[in-house]
Amino acid sequence: MAPMGIRLSPLGMAVFCLLGLGVLYHLYSGFLAGRFAFFMLSEPAAGEPDNPRGSAPAGAVDLRELLAASVLAAVKGGEEVKRVREGNVLNAKAKGKTREGAEEQLTSGDLLSNRKMFRLLKGAFPAVQINSEERVDTADQEPVSWDRVIPDDIKQKIQPKEVPAESVTVWIDPLDATQEYTEDLRQYVTTMVCVAVDGKPVIGVIHKPFSAYTAWAMVDGGSNVKARSSYNEKTPRIIVSRSHAGKVEQVARQTFGNKTVIIPAGGAGYKVLALLDVAERNQEEADVYIHVTYIKKWDICAGNAVLRALGGHMTTLTGEEISYTGSDGNEGGLIASINMNHKALIEKLPDLEKTSHK
């Protein structure tokens, strides 16, 4: 009870209480903020993951995760390629001409596969540069998610390896061998993903949509494919583009003899698989892969990575390594081999480099 003669105003009491609360807030807010900051920045307890949200720290990319996502992207893209072809709704149209004057075809399979592959990889690794053969519609924001599950075969063979995100370039070929695709030559068609670090191809995925076969490899990591054990360096079987068979045949037979076999085929991915031990009914076998004209890097990056991982080589016709940074084209043609004397092959075929400029 208040002393006699003193009356307490309700308004005054309210003001007094508010002033008291203000003093308490001032005294304790700094303390509580400090404790909160300490909690957020403190080291995780024993047994807890350093990065509880998964994957690599900010600014870094785990190559094992990127390999797993690349395999899934190639498969998802392949599903679109197969669906369009089997539904016979290609909507094929010319998108331009090659340097040799041939019409380049564009189909719904290219576009739908590209959308799936690009969205999946960009959604999972937003900081990574992705180069694709087809343009991506920026207005199309349909998400394609990855559940971050790493398949057992990759988990067993590949160890986690982090690299700076800015050093990574991903090359997507959403439909390799589009011309053959329009002609319903399904065995040549592949979808491919390649990962280059500082311009060097380190991860390659080649997927055949119509047989569901997938080859993958990581340099200094592991693979699910291996090289064939038997090769013939004296009279090699040389696989080339269907349109280049005549250019290569004359030079090759002058060098190796008339018994040299020239194999015309479609698709760079298919041609690299021809050098490997692939359990595929419709896969031809070859000893050397040669391309004598300009070629885009998304066509060859995945195959280059697979060959490098298995100890093989893919170079220009003069033996120079191909860098997967900068422009999207390779001017110097290519020669690819595995378990062969690559340098000797280049020295035996000097006239092919001249052919690449014709």
Side-chain angles (χ1 to χ4, degrees):
M1 175 180 283
M4 292 182 63
I6 299 176
R7 298 177 61 188
L8 297 178
S9 166
L11 178 60
M13 289 295 293
V15 171
F16 179 81
C17 290
L18 288 174
L19 288 173
L21 289 173
V23 171
L24 291 173
Y25 176 81
H26 178 74
L27 289 173
Y28 286 99
S29 61
F31 171 79
L32 292 173
R35 294 303 298 168
F36 180 76
F38 174 80
F39 173 77
M40 293 299 293
L41 297 174
S42 61
E43 293 293 325
E48 292 181 359
D50 291 339
N51 186 21
R53 295 193 180 189
S55 74
V61 173
D62 181 357
L63 291 180
R64 183 171 74 167
E65 288 190 346
L66 189 46
L67 168 60
S70 297
V71 170
L72 182 61
V75 171
K76 290 293 185 183
E79 290 173 355
E80 295 298 306
V81 168
K82 183 179 179 181
R83 180 175 64 82
V84 169
R85 179 65 267 184
E86 292 183 343
N88 198 28
V89 286
L90 274 64
N91 297 319
K93 61 181 180 180
K95 68 175 182 179
K97 292 189 176 183
T98 66
R99 290 190 179 185
E100 299 166 285
E103 291 283 358
E104 282 194 282
Q105 296 290 309
L106 178 66
T107 71
S108 295
D110 294 87
L111 297 175
L112 293 173
S113 173
N114 184 68
R115 183 173 68 175
K116 286 279 187 183
M117 295 173 73
F118 181 89
R119 293 294 180 207
L120 189 152
L121 291 168
K122 197 63 177 177
F125 303 94
V128 167
Q129 178 181 339
I130 301 178
N131 297 337
S132 178
E133 180 172 9
E134 307 304 338
R135 298 177 65 179
V136 178
D137 184 357
T138 55
D140 175 15
Q141 297 298 325
E142 178 192 3
V144 182
S145 61
W146 175 48
D147 57 12
R148 310 202 82 85
V149 173
I150 300 175
D152 288 340
D153 59 338
I154 293 177
K155 193 179 294 185
Q156 291 168 4
K157 295 179 180 180
I158 307 293
Q159 295 299 313
K161 182 178 181 180
E162 292 175 5
V163 297
E166 63 269 20
S167 70
V168 176
T169 305
V170 176
W171 296 85
I172 294 175
D173 192 342
L175 200 170
D176 189 40
T178 300
Q179 179 61 46
E180 286 74 19
Y181 182 65
T182 63
E183 297 172 20
D184 209 15
L185 300 174
R186 303 183 183 194
Q187 71 271 24
Y188 297 128
V189 176
T190 62
T191 58
M192 296 188 286
V193 180
C194 176
V195 176
V197 177
D198 294 324
K200 296 181 179 179
V202 298
I203 289 174
V205 179
I206 305 174
H207 175 68
K208 299 183 77 172
F210 297 102
S211 65
Y213 174 81
T214 306
W216 59 260
M218 177 172 161
V219 175
D220 297 327
S223 70
N224 72 339
V225 65
K226 59 184 179 180
R228 290 190 296 108
S229 57
S230 59
Y231 293 87
N232 190 335
E233 292 197 38
K234 293 183 178 179
T235 55
R237 296 168 58 86
I238 300 177
I239 194 163
V240 300
S241 294
R242 295 160 70 203
S243 58
H244 297 167
K247 291 182 179 181
V248 176
E249 183 173 8
Q250 184 177 0
V251 175
R253 289 189 171 166
Q254 285 175 351
T255 304
F256 298 108
N258 290 329
K259 292 184 179 180
T260 302
V261 177
I262 304 298
I263 305 171
Y270 178 90
K271 297 183 188 84
V272 168
L273 291 178
L275 307 182
L276 307 177
D277 185 5
V278 176
E280 280 283 280
R281 183 179 60 185
N282 291 326
Q283 180 64 59
E284 294 167 283
E285 294 183 352
D287 303 310
V288 181
Y289 164 28
I290 292 174
H291 188 86
V292 295
T293 60
Y294 173 88
I295 191 168
K296 294 295 182 69
K297 291 178 181 177
W298 43 66
D299 290 317
I300 60 176
C301 186
N304 197 343
V306 171
L307 289 174
R308 287 186 71 228
L310 298 176
H313 302 274
M314 179 185 287
T315 66
T316 66
L317 295 173
T318 58
E320 297 176 359
E321 296 294 332
I322 301 168
S323 174
Y324 294 90
T325 57
S327 69
D328 60 14
N330 171 51
E331 297 280 355
L334 70 85
I335 182 167
S337 69
I338 189 167
N339 287 346
M340 296 183 73
N341 188 331
H342 192 78
K343 184 178 179 181
L345 283 172
I346 293 168
E347 292 172 350
K348 284 181 178 180
L349 296 165
D351 291 337
L352 280 177
E353 197 275 331
K354 298 176 185 177
T355 304
S356 69
H357 299 294
K358 293 181 179 179

